[in-house]
Amino acid sequence: MDDVAMAPEGLEWKFSQVFGERAAGEEVQEVDIISAIEFDKNGDHLATGDRGGRVVLFERTDKIDGGVHRRVLEAMDCSSSQHPEFHYKTEFQSHEPEFDYLKSLEIEEKINKIRWCQTANNAMFLLSTNDKTIKFWKVQEKKIKKVCNFNLDPPKPTINGFVTTSNAPTSFKTCFTNGGSNDNPLNFRNNNVSLRGLTSLHLPTVTSHETSLLARCRKTYAHAHDYHINSISNNSDCETFISADDLRINLWNLEISSQSFNIVDKKPANMEDLTEVITSAEFHPSHCNMLAYSSSKGSIRLIDLRQSALCDTHSKLFEEHEAPGSKSFFSDIISSISDIKFSKGGRYILSRDYMTLKMWDINMGSGPVATFQVHEHLRPKLCDLYENDAIFDKFECCLSGDGQRVATGSYSHLFRVFGCSEGSTEATTLEATKNPTRRQVQTPPRFLRSPGGSDDVNGNSFDLTTKLLHLAWHPSENSIACAASNSLYMYYA
Amino acid sequence: MSMGDEPLYPIAVLIDELKNEDIQLRLNSIRRLPTIARALGEERTRKELIPFLSENNDDVDEVLLAMAEELGAFIPYIGGIEHANVLLPPLETLCTVEETCVREKAVESLCKIGSQMKETDLAESFVPLVKRLAAGEWFTARVSACGLFHIPYPSAPENSKAELRSVYSQLCQDDMPMVRRSAATNLGKFAATMEPAHLKTDIMQIFEDLTQDDQDSVRLLAVEGCAALGKLLEPQDCVKHILPVIVNFSQDKSWRVRYMVANQLYELCEAVGPEPTKSELVPAYVRLLRDNEAEVRIAAAGKVTKFSLILNAELAIQHILPCVKELSSDSSQHVRSALASVIMGMAPVLGKEATTEQLLPIFLSLLKDEFPDVRLSIISKLDQVNQVIGIDLLSQSLLPAIVELAEDRHWRVRLAIIEYIPLLASQLGVGFFDDKLGALCMKWLQDKVYSIRDAAATNLKRLAEEFGPDWALQHIVPQVLDMIKNPHYLHRMTVLRAISLLAPVMGSEITCSKLLPVVVEVSKDRVPNIKFNVAKALQSMTPIVDHTVVESTIRPCLIELSEDPDADVRFFANQAIQAIDNKTTSS
């Protein structure tokens, strides 16, 4: 592994876990379909968002009490099969469906992106966004408190908070004037409420045994996007983040939700001149001034926030020029980039367009350093894919923490993992089921029968309704989480 | 403290509500912690209340924020400053919470308490607290620690001082940018308490590291520290240590850093002295005035007057003025606007001759700017230039500018110029006003936008105050009264508004002879809105006119209105009658 020149061996992927697995014949509820997946920085937590506006958090169990766990394993004389294992932690409703009355537009609650922010004091912070509104969440364990030994017994029930301090005393006042006239030092008395009135004060006793998780929305960043937000990304300064829609990118301070700065504006004076939209944007992992965004024309632009306040001019442009002969009606559509990701060190950018994954070196603008065909067998079928709009599906991509491999999704709940270190020929096809390798033998499928979807058990066909759009690679280990409609599958190698 | 007289019941409620389920009630109780403490007495406050608060800090941020604030002023309730150390533990915990505003408040309260504590107590309990926070597991504690060093440092023993310095310099190299930002923000405060020898060595080393941080947000804060540090150093040290840094910063790759320099530069001039200012800072400033990035030029342009004030007239004319000329035709309207808002202040610095020859053409070109904000900025500061060269030179260009603004299609622009009319009137004099601006003022009364009509009415009042009732009687009142026949009821309403505003300025006699008859006349208007505004106007006029007039003219008119078929008219008429009655009975 240390020797970069040596190509690592292909990984053997195994099923690890599944959450929300469908029973046979069970119909998928639209709101349950997962629309975003994100690991936190050290991989101890995983968040998913769904079309119903919910965010579900998972926590890693195998590492939390690592010491104990290992000892147990040793006692059991078990070979170390340590791989990330997660359990359901909590969930909360992040977004609700809304209606924009000014524009007569329905705003879906669907979570488009989730990003983790810096953890503090065991409180987790994350940003979630739908098409229009970004929210900053704090998820924290709160002690469940039991308060007893009040001064006034029994404690006055607080019914809807209508009990006020101003009117409460009057009812007892007479009691007090009768009973409270002695000047005994109050410290001597332990009993507080005598029959005749209140004679001493003490503080209530608070005990707590359990804790519960509480999610609170700390900030709401709204009304800054005319178009649909496709990305949010944190800056390495832990202070700012960007949000990108089809035509603009805005810069926010996490603490300030009342204003943002527009840093990229691609809106032409006349909307008829519009040729290109922003599809994805991400900050460089360590350089606070650099960010990359991709476009529907297949280009990636790197911009430097130091250069000017409005970064309409890029500092670097990455695009691949197609050979003139190969241009077809679909070339423009399939070259649209659906997702970009920086590698951990920030040297490389991974991009996904409809047919391929491309790895770019940010020091080399002339072309990608590697290109991986994701589902080349679909190329003859582009016409059908266009007709049923599948050609506009937005697949995400991800890189392993060591930068040696990349992964992305396809149809029929398949996803592919490629080795991207020099000389690697690793190219694995996995299926998001409990037996991920069951179709591997048959790949690549040679012919397609019915483009609209098929139930061919041999896997020689593809099912356009079961697309695997969202997946994430654990930041430090070979573990992938991917969403097959409403189910979250996890694999390790 | 005795509590024999204090009713215990309300206190008991307050104490119980410290743990109520309703946030609002908890907040209320926390806000009344002093009351609770007084009832418990000093000893029980120390032994029971404060520990209780320390243990129960698992609350919502609003409650924690209130607690952090209250504890800062709690010394009187725990038995004086010698017991101050009991307040430290709860505040220390609050210094570590996730919410920034709670931490900041806790730090503020700790500083408040620490600055009153005795030296021995500081060394015994405050210094360890600072060190614990600085070594905190989470960045939140370390961020808070940075803001506390300046409290115990001056009185700490020598070895402890050395330790504090080294801990601080570690914080400046923390992995988390938040901690480095906090260290950069608080550097000036800490440095101010430090011996000159360490200032030059330790602090300068820290400062230099921060200025080279790879996070722009940290470098920005280091720039802010430049001026503060510069003031602490001897001029020659400042030249040696700070000057090169700021000159470097003024050419930083990041426009945000240059923007900060542009904002701060003038503050450093005094610290380095006149010679380095001339040789280093002026060229740096000139570069910023010509920066590629408009935001930087905006910041720099906004400081031309402040910078010129520090320089002498000669340097300002030689170096700054050429840039000002360029900026007056800058491609960014915001730059021109920033320039226009301060440029008038340069006139007193440059003196009469330079102003007439050099600044005046710039004023004139800015007065013709296509962007209304620029023109407005010039007009708003007219008095400053008037003192130096007199207004005559400007007046020929002023008029077209004013007329154009007066007719701008954006009502906010029209509103802004109306608000400057009294200033213009006072600067330009009655003669100029009568000839040129009088008609405009009347025209605004019939503007399409209510805010403009309303402002126009107020404007008439201010003009009457400026030029006196006699002038107003000639130049305002007849024109206004004429308009009462306007077919549009909204315009008649504006006139009513103007009349009721003018009445107090015009005085009893003119009100009775000129204004009141018109108002009474309008009470027979066919539009109810007019009628109830008549009632309101009449009510506002009663204090001005004589009692007999009230009874003979105003009251009959109101009585008639009080029998109006319209409910609103009756309401306001009755209200006015009641006000008159109240006044009569009270007097």
Side-chain angles (χ1 to χ4, degrees):
Chain A
M1 185 95 76
D2 292 327
D3 191 355
V4 184
M6 197 180 73
E9 283 175 37
L11 295 173
E12 196 185 319
W13 289 92
K14 297 183 205 69
F15 168 77
S16 162
Q17 279 174 292
V18 57
F19 294 95
E21 192 188 23
R22 247 183 312 160
E26 187 190 331
E27 210 167 303
V28 182
Q29 296 293 311
E30 168 84 8
V31 288
D32 291 335
I33 294 176
I34 295 172
S35 55
I37 299 185
E38 184 80 6
F39 279 104
D40 73 350
K41 208 168 84 185
N42 43 24
D44 290 341
H45 295 95
L46 174 71
T48 64
D50 64 27
R51 293 199 184 189
R54 282 163 301 188
V55 170
V56 184
L57 302 184
F58 299 88
E59 185 173 51
R60 187 163 176 178
T61 45
D62 59 310
K63 220 170 125 185
I64 299 302
D65 38 19
V68 182
H69 192 79
R70 194 159 302 147
R71 234 176 293 136
V72 172
L73 279 176
E74 277 163 6
M76 288 164 65
D77 198 23
C78 216
S79 68
S80 139
S81 65
Q82 279 238 351
H83 61 268
E85 230 173 82
F86 287 78
H87 73 114
Y88 167 89
K89 194 168 166 77
T90 187
E91 69 177 76
F92 57 90
Q93 189 71 36
S94 169
H95 287 71
E96 304 272 359
E98 281 176 272
F99 192 79
D100 181 340
Y101 294 97
L102 283 177
K103 291 177 183 155
S104 281
L105 272 180
E106 246 177 284
I107 303 168
E108 281 181 44
E109 67 272 35
K110 179 185 152 218
I111 305 293
N112 287 348
K113 279 275 149 60
I114 296 175
R115 286 289 178 266
W116 290 87
C117 301
Q118 185 58 48
T119 315
N121 296 8
N122 296 319
M124 294 173 283
F125 291 90
L126 37 87
L127 287 167
S128 62
T129 186
N130 66 355
D131 285 340
K132 296 286 179 187
T133 308
I134 306 150
K135 290 184 181 178
F136 186 45
W137 291 91
K138 171 175 162 183
V139 184
Q140 192 181 26
E141 293 214 339
K142 282 275 177 195
K143 289 186 196 134
I144 301 172
K145 273 171 265 180
K146 229 175 102 186
V147 188
C148 53
N149 202 9
F150 279 103
N151 283 298
L152 306 170
D153 211 28
K156 287 147 64 59
T158 52
I159 308 144
N160 303 331
F162 277 121
V163 177
T164 59
T165 46
S166 53
N167 64 17
T170 47
S171 55
F172 274 77
K173 210 156 221 167
T174 45
C175 297
F176 171 67
T177 40
N178 291 338
S181 54
N182 61 18
D183 282 326
N184 278 353
L186 296 161
N187 316 32
F188 293 157
R189 294 196 166 221
N190 285 332
N191 61 327
N192 53 328
V193 183
S194 75
L195 283 173
R196 292 192 298 162
L198 192 64
T199 54
S200 77
L201 297 169
H202 63 86
L203 293 158
T205 319
V206 182
T207 49
S208 55
H209 305 285
E210 293 167 55
T211 57
S212 77
L213 276 169
L214 185 77
R216 262 192 110 184
C217 180
R218 301 300 305 160
K219 290 264 167 11
T220 302
Y221 315 88
H223 311 299
H225 285 278
D226 286 337
Y227 307 94
H228 288 183
I229 298 173
N230 54 46
S231 324
I232 45 178
S233 173
N234 301 92
N235 191 304
S236 56
D237 66 8
C238 303
E239 183 181 47
T240 53
F241 70 94
I242 49 161
S243 57
D245 67 21
D246 294 345
L247 293 176
R248 298 196 178 99
I249 302 178
N250 293 333
L251 179 70
W252 302 83
N253 186 311
L254 277 167
E255 302 269 336
I256 302 163
S257 56
S258 56
Q259 58 175 356
S260 66
F261 294 96
N262 179 234
I263 49 173
V264 174
D265 189 350
K266 289 267 153 194
K267 190 177 177 182
N270 180 357
M271 279 300 264
E272 280 165 22
D273 300 336
L274 184 69
T275 56
E276 191 175 17
V277 296
I278 298 168
T279 54
S280 171
E282 193 175 53
F283 262 120
H284 188 281
S286 55
H287 294 325
C288 62
N289 56 313
M290 271 159 71
L291 77 91
Y293 68 90
S294 60
S295 83
S296 56
K297 274 191 159 176
S299 55
I300 301 167
R301 288 177 175 83
L302 199 62
I303 60 173
D304 183 354
L305 296 180
R306 285 176 183 164
Q307 238 160 33
S308 63
L310 191 63
C311 300
D312 284 346
T313 50
H314 53 263
S315 54
K316 272 180 189 169
L317 173 70
F318 305 95
E319 57 187 353
E320 192 171 31
H321 295 285
E322 227 176 323
S326 65
K327 203 158 168 69
S328 76
F329 172 73
F330 300 110
S331 339
D332 277 351
I333 300 171
I334 62 169
S335 67
S336 173
I337 293 176
S338 51
D339 191 26
I340 53 168
K341 291 272 160 61
F342 270 102
S343 66
K344 206 174 195 175
R347 165 92 186 263
Y348 299 97
I349 297 173
L350 178 69
S351 72
R352 169 71 204 259
D353 55 40
Y354 192 64
M355 296 301 288
T356 68
L357 265 181
K358 292 192 176 100
M359 185 72 104
W360 306 80
D361 183 334
I362 63 166
N363 300 322
M364 190 174 109
S366 56
V369 286
T371 302
F372 309 97
Q373 309 296 341
V374 179
H375 37 213
E376 201 54 24
H377 56 279
L378 295 182
R379 200 174 282 277
K381 288 285 164 196
L382 284 175
C383 198
D384 298 325
L385 292 165
Y386 177 76
E387 270 167 19
N388 56 25
D389 278 353
I391 203 166
F392 301 107
D393 285 336
K394 287 174 170 285
F395 291 96
E396 286 179 3
C397 58
C398 58
L399 289 111
S400 64
D402 57 11
Q404 303 273 12
R405 290 177 184 83
V406 295
T408 191
S410 176
Y411 294 100
S412 311
H413 283 169
L414 296 178
F415 66 99
R416 306 209 63 196
V417 180
F418 300 98
C420 60
S421 48
E422 231 175 287
S424 170
T425 52
E426 187 181 345
T428 319
T429 305
L430 297 154
E431 187 189 12
T433 59
K434 282 188 171 171
N435 180 11
T437 48
R438 92 183 149 104
R439 294 208 209 181
Q440 222 173 8
V441 219
Q442 281 98 355
T443 52
R446 230 161 299 171
F447 60 95
L448 303 158
R449 242 167 265 159
S450 54
S454 137
D455 44 11
D456 183 348
V457 279
N458 293 326
N460 276 356
S461 184
F462 64 105
D463 180 359
L464 293 180
T465 60
T466 55
K467 48 200 169 205
L468 197 153
L469 300 177
H470 311 283
L471 77 177
W473 201 302
H474 189 279
S476 55
E477 295 178 37
N478 283 328
S479 168
I480 292 178
C482 59
S485 59
N486 64 336
S487 316
L488 176 70
Y489 283 91
M490 306 195 60
Y491 301 94
Y492 71 98
Chain B
M1 198 175 286
S2 155
M3 56 213 119
D5 300 324
E6 206 135 4
L8 285 191
Y9 186 84
I11 306 288
V13 172
L14 276 182
I15 292 179
D16 286 356
E17 283 178 352
L18 281 172
K19 284 289 138 215
N20 198 293
E21 281 179 20
D22 186 333
I23 294 178
Q24 206 48 52
L25 294 182
R26 289 208 301 278
L27 255 180
N28 178 51
S29 278
I30 290 282
R31 286 282 171 220
R32 315 245 337 241
L33 275 178
T35 314
I36 296 174
R38 236 180 284 131
L40 289 174
E42 291 167 356
E43 193 178 339
R44 289 190 69 191
T45 299
R46 287 198 299 273
K47 290 193 173 148
E48 294 175 39
L49 182 62
I50 300 295
F52 174 81
L53 293 174
S54 310
E55 283 160 24
N56 291 287
N57 46 29
D58 185 35
D59 211 325
V60 296
D61 302 322
E62 291 84 343
V63 175
L64 296 182
L65 179 67
M67 199 199 290
E69 188 171 3
E70 292 299 329
L71 288 177
F74 227 61
I75 289 175
Y77 311 112
I78 50 154
I81 196 67
E82 57 266 35
H83 295 290
N85 54 344
V86 304
L87 292 175
L88 302 185
L91 284 169
E92 180 176 348
T93 323
L94 291 173
C95 276
T96 64
V97 300
E98 314 80 59
E99 195 60 30
T100 317
C101 59
V102 177
R103 291 202 307 269
E104 281 171 357
K105 191 53 87 180
V107 167
E108 195 187 308
S109 289
L110 274 176
C111 290
K112 231 195 232 168
I113 293 168
S115 58
Q116 302 170 56
M117 283 167 73
K118 280 189 303 201
E119 287 185 14
T120 47
D121 290 342
L122 278 175
E124 217 167 90
S125 48
F126 208 96
V127 171
L129 175 146
V130 173
K131 287 197 287 196
R132 273 196 305 276
L133 285 174
E137 182 193 359
W138 295 100
F139 72 88
T140 47
R142 306 199 295 274
V143 166
S144 295
C146 297
L148 293 170
F149 281 73
H150 64 286
I151 298 293
Y153 185 83
S155 63
E158 210 43 57
N159 57 342
S160 183
K161 278 186 172 178
E163 199 180 355
L164 285 173
R165 286 196 303 271
S166 94
V167 170
Y168 199 89
S169 84
Q170 274 162 25
L171 288 171
C172 291
Q173 294 162 29
D174 200 278
D175 284 342
M176 301 300 285
M178 299 82 143
V179 180
R180 302 203 300 275
R181 278 197 290 273
S182 180
T185 311
N186 288 295
L187 187 64
K189 246 190 268 169
F190 187 32
T193 64
M194 207 166 281
E195 304 81 351
H198 296 302
L199 195 59
K200 268 198 268 180
T201 53
D202 297 36
I203 290 289
M204 280 306 132
Q205 187 53 50
I206 291 176
F207 176 67
E208 260 164 51
D209 289 346
L210 289 172
T211 60
Q212 283 156 27
D213 202 282
D214 49 0
Q215 284 291 344
D216 288 357
S217 51
V218 178
R219 289 213 312 282
L220 285 176
L221 293 167
V223 179
E224 275 194 294
C226 280
L229 286 180
K231 284 170 191 162
L232 295 174
L233 292 166
E234 298 287 314
Q236 69 269 24
D237 290 324
C238 188
V239 170
K240 200 170 138 204
H241 295 290
I242 308 281
L243 195 61
V245 175
I246 199 91
V247 169
N248 242 338
F249 270 149
S250 76
Q251 300 169 67
D252 197 277
K253 280 198 297 276
S254 168
W255 68 268
R256 282 169 70 197
V257 171
R258 299 198 303 275
Y259 174 91
M260 292 297 266
V261 175
N263 266 326
Q264 303 266 325
L265 201 60
Y266 73 96
E267 287 192 55
L268 214 64
C269 294
E270 273 167 46
V272 295
E275 199 43 48
T277 295
K278 191 179 155 191
S279 63
E280 302 272 356
L281 292 184
V282 170
Y285 184 62
V286 166
R287 267 198 305 275
L288 292 168
L289 284 168
R290 292 178 170 149
D291 201 277
N292 278 330
E293 174 55 44
E295 296 287 338
V296 178
R297 295 200 304 276
I298 291 171
K303 298 283 184 243
V304 281
T305 297
K306 277 192 171 149
F307 208 90
S308 304
L309 278 172
I310 294 165
L311 305 176
N312 55 37
E314 189 196 340
L315 277 177
I317 292 169
Q318 193 187 342
H319 296 285
I320 309 293
L321 205 53
C323 297
V324 168
K325 253 182 223 163
E326 289 168 31
L327 290 174
S328 71
S329 56
D330 196 278
S331 57
S332 159
Q333 59 187 37
H334 302 291
V335 174
R336 301 196 303 273
S337 187
L339 180 72
S341 65
V342 297
I343 191 177
M344 303 306 260
M346 281 185 84
V349 183
L350 299 187
K352 186 167 179 171
E353 194 185 329
T355 301
T356 319
E357 280 176 20
Q358 315 241 28
L359 271 186
L360 193 61
I362 299 175
F363 295 158
L364 296 179
S365 89
L366 289 172
L367 263 180
K368 294 188 189 97
D369 200 282
E370 54 176 350
F371 188 52
D373 271 14
V374 179
R375 283 172 272 154
L376 277 174
S377 298
I378 291 286
I379 288 170
S380 68
K381 301 277 168 59
L382 216 54
D383 46 337
Q384 286 172 327
V385 72
N386 200 6
Q387 291 157 10
V388 183
I389 55 165
I391 204 107
D392 300 346
L393 287 165
L394 270 177
S395 57
Q396 287 316 307
S397 305
L398 263 177
L399 191 66
I402 295 168
V403 171
E404 206 178 310
L405 288 168
E407 288 161 358
D408 197 281
R409 63 192 179 88
H410 295 291
W411 67 269
R412 283 175 206 281
V413 175
R414 300 202 295 277
L415 186 62
I417 188 73
I418 293 175
E419 271 157 15
Y420 294 129
I421 287 289
L423 171 80
L424 282 169
S426 71
Q427 299 292 323
L428 295 165
V430 172
F432 184 87
F433 184 86
D434 284 348
D435 293 347
K436 323 278 183 193
L437 300 180
L440 277 178
C441 294
M442 292 301 148
K443 204 172 153 195
W444 282 320
L445 282 176
Q446 302 185 19
D447 199 280
K448 285 192 300 250
V449 177
Y450 169 76
S451 297
I452 301 296
R453 297 196 300 272
D454 190 52
T458 314
N459 178 45
L460 293 182
K461 180 191 107 181
R462 291 170 67 190
L463 285 173
E465 284 168 347
E466 178 73 37
F467 294 141
D470 293 342
W471 175 87
L473 187 60
Q474 276 202 324
H475 295 92
I476 295 182
V477 174
Q479 288 91 326
V480 171
L481 295 185
D482 263 357
M483 281 161 58
I484 201 72
K485 298 187 186 76
N486 194 299
H488 200 309
Y489 86 98
L490 284 175
H491 292 160
R492 297 202 295 281
M493 230 149 81
T494 313
V495 175
L496 270 178
R497 168 98 182 122
I499 289 175
S500 56
L501 284 170
L502 280 170
V505 187
M506 304 305 288
S508 168
E509 202 181 311
I510 298 174
T511 303
C512 290
S513 63
K514 297 274 180 193
L515 305 180
L516 196 53
V518 175
V519 177
V520 172
E521 180 68 28
V522 192
S523 72
K524 296 178 182 67
D525 203 287
R526 62 196 156 79
V527 180
N529 296 43
I530 299 290
K531 288 197 271 190
F532 72 66
N533 273 294
V534 166
K536 283 196 216 169
L538 287 175
Q539 184 183 343
S540 77
M541 284 162 116
T542 46
I544 304 156
V545 298
D546 203 58
H547 183 65
T548 52
V549 179
V550 172
E551 293 302 326
S552 66
T553 318
I554 295 183
R555 190 187 285 276
C557 181
L558 284 172
I559 289 174
E560 197 176 315
L561 287 173
S562 72
E563 285 150 11
D564 197 89
D566 187 275
D568 291 327
V569 177
R570 290 200 302 277
F571 173 80
F572 284 106
N574 283 322
Q575 199 178 48
I577 292 170
Q578 207 170 7
I580 296 172
D581 289 345
N582 286 346
K583 204 185 149 224
T584 345
T585 49
S586 68
S587 63

